[in-house]
Amino acid sequence: MGSKRLLFISSVFLFSIMFLLGLGESVNGFPSSPSFVKTNGLNFVLDGRPVYVNGFNSYWLMSLATDVTNRQKVTSAFEQAATHGLTVARTWAFNDGNTYNALQTSCGVYDEQVFRGLDFVVSHAKSYGIKLILSFVNNYKDYGGRAQYVQWGRRAGQNIRSDDDFYTNPTVKGYYKNHVKTIMTRVNSISGIAYKDDPTIFSWELINEPRCQTDPSGRTLQGWIKEMAAYVKSIDSNHLLEVGMEGFYGGSTLERKQYNPGGCEYGTDFITNNQIPGIDFATVHAYPDSWLTGSDENAQLSFLNKWMQIHFDDVERVLKKPLLFAEFGKSYKDPGYSTAQRDRFYNTFYNNIYSAASSGKAGGGGLFWQLMAEGMDSFADGYDIVLSQNPSIAAIIASQSHRMSLLNTTMFR
């Protein structure tokens, strides 16, 4: 047994002791309750009490759970997450077209075996006290995305100019609505509970990282979000809903555009897009190493601090709803990378979240990208973390879970 393995076991042991001594809400993750998570002002609430989360992304859960021989990797991920106090997982409820383990194999046609894989993910998450954010579609071509819906539209004879017509073409929008309804009304083959009735689901997400290059103002996306938010809420008024945005500013706040990476516009508007009725909380992503190509560590950390603070301020001052940093991370593929750099990045990020949350501001929590189980090298993207193999970052993540859980139990008694 090597020193890294010993350090990992020590971090797990210490975190477990914290909970056994009553310093955390629950050994099994999210506070146990049959209720749905709601919002109240800047806070997420459960049974009327504010809750703060520390979580992760694992987009691959459904795909691997489709094959019963791979389900142990899903179990391993949830076990590691729960052991380190992680309470929310964000994952894909889509895989469209001619892709491996596609859920929607052709327009409106679904593979039952893949759906059963998603059923396993939802029911299994519940057993580990983990709630799920389920995303309906990808902005990118990976796993089908907008491009696949547009291709289906072209095959049906629609006059489509670009992938951005996903947001405006009535036929394509109908395809998307059908998928949304299919997911929300799905009855879990394991639990017997319809997804729209299952409190295991923390929230729905309209689209992963939406962008619209043909209309940088954000108005095209504004219309689509308004229509789809109303549609989701017409089927399911219990669950929370968010857009899936990265946090880029648009036409309504031109003075904020300077904070976007490179000062560019991406067809989104963090303020107006999140003011739409039915959008219950705002999301932001944070990848300074990817967005600021060629920058050094100090520049990246400086950007991170500014990026987080400006969004905390805007949510508190303008949006007046919770804020979740739904993706963040640092790649070990970066030039000059060291474990110490990633540790400093995570510590800076978590300190900002905790400072906002502990002062009653909009620090609802953060979800790192991404958690993986052992033996998943083919899924590695540089941002992946196997907690059992990364003792220093595992200890940092567990520490953040602990202090966020203390906020759940001590701040609002």
Side-chain angles (χ1 to χ4, degrees), residues 394-413:
I396 290 169
I397 289 169
S399 175
Q400 176 73 356
S401 296
H402 171 57
R403 60 180 181 174
M404 294 297 275
S405 72
L406 288 181
L407 294 180
N408 292 339
T409 59
T410 62
M411 277 191 68
F412 299 96
R413 284 177 175 171

Side-chain angles (χ1 to χ4, degrees), residues 381-400:
D381 61 1
Y383 294 90
D384 50 286
I385 294 175
V386 179
L387 292 171
S388 59
Q389 297 174 350
N390 293 271
S392 64
I393 201 66
I396 290 169
I397 289 169
S399 175
Q400 176 73 356

Side-chain angles (χ1 to χ4, degrees), residues 1 30 131 193 214 252 276 303 343 411:
M1 183 177 289
F30 213 91
K131 292 191 180 292
I193 303 172
T214 58
S252 71
I276 292 172
F303 173 88
D343 289 352
M411 277 191 68

Side-chain angles (χ1 to χ4, degrees), residues 65 164 304:
D164 285 347
L304 179 67

Side-chain angles (χ1 to χ4, degrees), residues 30-187:
F30 213 91
S32 179
S33 171
S35 302
F36 294 89
V37 178
K38 301 293 185 180
T39 66
N40 182 16
L42 300 177
N43 295 119
F44 297 114
V45 295
L46 185 64
D47 294 325
R49 295 179 58 196
V51 290
Y52 298 92
V53 304
N54 195 35
F56 62 99
N57 286 267
S58 288
Y59 74 88
W60 48 267
L61 294 172
M62 177 182 70
S63 182
L64 261 66
T66 296
D67 184 344
V68 294
T69 63
N70 285 328
R71 287 184 175 177
Q72 179 55 38
K73 289 184 172 60
V74 176
T75 299
S76 175
F78 282 152
E79 285 177 346
Q80 289 191 57
T83 301
H84 289 75
L86 298 169
T87 54
V88 173
R90 178 172 170 263
T91 193
W92 299 166
F94 63 81
N95 192 3
D96 308 307
N98 187 27
T99 62
Y100 176 70
N101 282 345
L103 174 62
Q104 190 176 190
T105 55
S106 58
C107 189
V109 178
Y110 291 82
D111 187 319
E112 177 62 20
Q113 183 60 31
V114 180
F115 238 141
R116 287 176 181 267
L118 187 56
D119 293 343
F120 176 82
V121 171
V122 174
S123 62
H124 219 49
K126 180 179 180 180
S127 68
Y128 284 95
I130 293 171
K131 292 191 180 292
L132 299 172
I133 296 176
L134 297 183
S135 185
F136 290 131
V137 72
N138 205 0
N139 174 62
Y140 311 107
K141 293 181 180 180
D142 307 87
Y143 297 87
R146 284 194 296 141
Q148 181 61 71
Y149 280 86
V150 165
Q151 186 179 95
W152 286 330
R154 286 196 179 102
R155 289 176 180 173
Q158 294 296 300
N159 182 21
I160 292 175
R161 296 164 297 176
S162 75
D163 288 354
D164 285 347
D165 285 358
F166 172 86
Y167 299 120
T168 57
N169 182 275
T171 296
V172 174
K173 289 192 292 183
Y175 296 160
Y176 173 82
K177 287 179 179 178
N178 180 70
H179 176 67
V180 167
K181 183 177 181 180
T182 300
I183 295 294
M184 291 194 297
T185 59
R186 166 74 177 183
V187 176

